[in-house]
Amino acid sequence: MRSLFAFLSLAAWSAQAAAAPTAPAGNPAKAWPREVQAAYDELKAECRSSGGKFIADRPAFATEVELTSDGKPDWVLEYAATRCSNAGYSAWCGTAGCVIAILGSGPRGLREIFQDNVRGWSAVDLGRGRRGLETPVHGTACGGAGAEGCVETLAWNGRKWDVVKRHRWTDADYAADQQRQAAAGSEAPPPMHEARWQFAGSGAGAVAATTGHPEFAALGLRCQPGGGVYMTVVPKPGLALPVAGQPLLINFTGSANGDYDATQTLVQEPGKADLSGALDPGVETLLVGADSGLDLIASASGGDEWQALSYMNLGGSTAALRSLRQQCAAAAGAASSAQGAGQKPVAPLGILAGYYVSESEPCAEPGFEAIFYDGRRLGLIRGGGAPGSEDENFVGALGKVERAGKAFFLPDWEMEMKILSPTRIQLTIQDTEAPRRWCPAAEMPAKWRVR
């Protein structure tokens, strides 16, 4: 574990990221003709209007090629290079192959001259300066079964496609294809993530992380100064990064309890290649959930387009994150105690006046509720919303205080409060919650402060 902890220290993360080439900022690509861009934008708009995330392999979507024998470039669009997160992988593909469209050149620009499901395509030389399209199609086109090999060669006559050749594969064709595949060698399997999550360190220096992901040299969680947990990612080449000052969004999706997803926002740390951000509660739920792994996509364009990433293994993530939470809470409690040193506790509860948030949360960004106390009043502080709303700041008289063993019972609030130290409390309303730590008013968001 010593070498792991050394690697996962923030200094080592930054050094590794700086030594490795990083992916170019933004989403650079060759400019397409307006007709190609319009087709792409239409697919994107349709996906986003349905509430989905547009996931695209932009370089694979459009191919410039001459198919109509006029000496001008045509374009083949492969719809399967795009997908919508709420439509699955099969929107453009079926037993007859995947949808392609061909935009042919003409006097008024490009226009669609072909759209169909095919099992592949290639440009072929028909002789005498003519070009054509060769594509495997459904076996029934050659009078056979659907799964049998059938290849059509098409030529554009200026108005429509003529079938100039249709060939049903023979045993000799299958044998020749197997020989070609053997000569080419088997394709390398897609990169996988198999590394387990690890935990190391203590207090504010604790880290929970995984390494070896195809798009990340490391993805780790660490204690956030002032409370809470940060996620930090060290990108590998191939991960599209945002332009300076813009966030990288990573969406995590699990399926153990039905499809559930959450998005993590990360920004580049000053002077480093690392990208970090406060851990999103939904992402944390997925990391400690019942899934064995999560599907990932990323956006360098603020969610306009998304890049498919490799599956992330969650082996060991629950134990690692829970250990980290314990260390972060202890470090935040100790920091709060040191910050309150020299201040006098206020009767009758014997704790410092101020605000108390969960030790897993930063003072500057509380979760659902903070507790306010000044000796005379108590408050349930939820963000300063309108009266009657879920985020109303409700403050009232402390009321009667009764001893209940080692705790205080507050009848007016139907609450029991254990005093762990002058800067730490633990509440029991229906269930005993995690300890809370003291925060001074100056560190609380303005809408959370009692006036």
Side-chain angles (χ1 to χ4, degrees), residues 115-126:
Q115 186 181 109
D116 205 351
N117 286 69
V118 298
R119 294 174 174 174
W121 67 273
S122 59
V124 293
D125 186 351
L126 301 178

Side-chain angles (χ1 to χ4, degrees), residues 138-223:
H138 204 269
T140 55
C142 288
E148 291 182 343
C150 178
V151 178
E152 286 186 342
T153 303
L154 309 176
W156 180 249
N157 67 13
R159 295 181 297 105
K160 63 183 181 66
W161 292 94
D162 292 328
V163 179
V164 298
K165 182 179 179 182
R166 183 178 287 128
H167 174 65
R168 181 177 180 178
W169 270 23
T170 64
D171 290 342
D173 291 315
Y174 285 109
D177 186 61
Q178 289 177 345
Q179 291 177 355
R180 284 193 297 269
Q181 292 185 36
S186 59
E187 292 186 6
M192 302 288 289
H193 179 232
E194 299 176 346
R196 290 181 61 82
W197 285 67
Q198 302 287 339
F199 170 78
S202 61
V207 174
T210 186
T211 59
H213 187 273
E215 283 84 28
F216 313 127
L219 184 150
L221 307 170
R222 56 188 170 95
C223 299

Side-chain angles (χ1 to χ4, degrees), residues 36-62:
V36 175
Q37 186 66 52
Y40 184 84
D41 291 343
E42 183 177 353
L43 294 175
K44 183 197 301 185
E46 182 179 349
C47 172
R48 298 193 66 187
S49 67
S50 71
K53 295 179 176 65
F54 185 67
I55 305 165
D57 181 354
R58 185 182 174 95
F61 175 73

Side-chain angles (χ1 to χ4, degrees), residues 285-302:
T285 297
L286 286 165
L287 292 177
V288 298
D291 288 282
S292 59
L294 301 174
D295 292 316
L296 273 61
I297 56 176
S299 176
S301 59

Side-chain angles (χ1 to χ4, degrees), residues 13-14 16-18 215-219 232-236 239 273-275:
W13 281 9
S14 299
Q16 172 151 341
E215 283 84 28
F216 313 127
L219 184 150
T232 296
V233 162
V234 180
K236 286 183 179 179
L239 177 65
D274 305 351
L275 295 111

Side-chain angles (χ1 to χ4, degrees), residues 33-404:
R34 58 182 176 82
E35 298 89 345
V36 175
Q37 186 66 52
Y40 184 84
D41 291 343
E42 183 177 353
L43 294 175
K44 183 197 301 185
E46 182 179 349
C47 172
R48 298 193 66 187
S49 67
S50 71
K53 295 179 176 65
F54 185 67
I55 305 165
D57 181 354
R58 185 182 174 95
F61 175 73
T63 302
E64 183 179 5
V65 62
E66 218 283 274
L67 293 172
T68 55
S69 305
D70 63 356
K72 298 178 182 179
D74 309 301
W75 288 81
V76 178
L77 311 184
E78 302 202 37
Y79 283 22
T82 72
R83 67 182 175 92
C84 195
S85 63
N86 57 10
Y89 288 89
S90 60
W92 303 115
C93 298
T95 58
C98 297
V99 175
I100 68 167
I102 298 176
L103 303 185
S105 56
R108 298 182 180 179
L110 297 171
R111 65 185 179 92
E112 186 174 282
I113 59 175
F114 181 97
Q115 186 181 109
D116 205 351
N117 286 69
V118 298
R119 294 174 174 174
W121 67 273
S122 59
V124 293
D125 186 351
L126 301 178
R128 298 182 179 181
R130 299 178 68 212
R131 302 287 291 172
L133 173 70
E134 185 176 271
T135 176
V137 295
H138 204 269
T140 55
C142 288
E148 291 182 343
C150 178
V151 178
E152 286 186 342
T153 303
L154 309 176
W156 180 249
N157 67 13
R159 295 181 297 105
K160 63 183 181 66
W161 292 94
D162 292 328
V163 179
V164 298
K165 182 179 179 182
R166 183 178 287 128
H167 174 65
R168 181 177 180 178
W169 270 23
T170 64
D171 290 342
D173 291 315
Y174 285 109
D177 186 61
Q178 289 177 345
Q179 291 177 355
R180 284 193 297 269
Q181 292 185 36
S186 59
E187 292 186 6
M192 302 288 289
H193 179 232
E194 299 176 346
R196 290 181 61 82
W197 285 67
Q198 302 287 339
F199 170 78
S202 61
V207 174
T210 186
T211 59
H213 187 273
E215 283 84 28
F216 313 127
L219 184 150
L221 307 170
R222 56 188 170 95
C223 299
Q224 180 177 353
V229 172
Y230 259 117
M231 176 181 286
T232 296
V233 162
V234 180
K236 286 183 179 179
L239 177 65
L241 299 179
V243 297
Q246 297 300 310
L248 175 70
L249 306 179
I250 302 179
N251 182 266
F252 298 75
T253 300
S255 58
N257 298 310
D259 288 341
Y260 174 73
D261 73 292
T263 299
Q264 176 68 50
T265 300
L266 303 168
V267 296
Q268 189 169 4
E269 296 187 31
K272 300 179 182 178
D274 305 351
L275 295 111
S276 297
L279 179 61
D280 180 85
V283 172
E284 180 171 4
T285 297
L286 286 165
L287 292 177
V288 298
D291 288 282
S292 59
L294 301 174
D295 292 316
L296 273 61
I297 56 176
S299 176
S301 59
D304 183 56
E305 295 182 18
W306 295 80
Q307 171 190 357
L309 305 182
S310 302
Y311 187 75
M312 171 168 282
N313 179 37
L314 289 186
S317 64
T318 299
L321 186 50
R322 286 178 177 171
S323 295
L324 177 69
R325 276 294 188 187
Q326 293 174 356
Q327 294 296 322
C328 293
S336 179
S337 178
Q339 190 177 18
Q343 299 192 40
K344 291 184 177 181
V346 177
L349 299 182
I351 57 176
L352 299 189
Y355 301 79
Y356 289 79
V357 304
S358 171
E359 287 184 330
S360 64
E361 302 168 353
C363 298
E365 193 175 352
F368 168 65
E369 183 177 83
I371 299 297
F372 168 77
Y373 170 76
D374 66 2
R376 298 179 298 103
R377 297 174 296 169
L378 198 72
L380 305 179
I381 312 302
R382 297 171 179 170
S389 65
E390 291 185 356
D391 56 354
E392 177 187 5
N393 291 343
F394 184 78
V395 181
L398 179 64
K400 189 176 181 181
V401 177
E402 300 176 355
R403 277 284 182 181

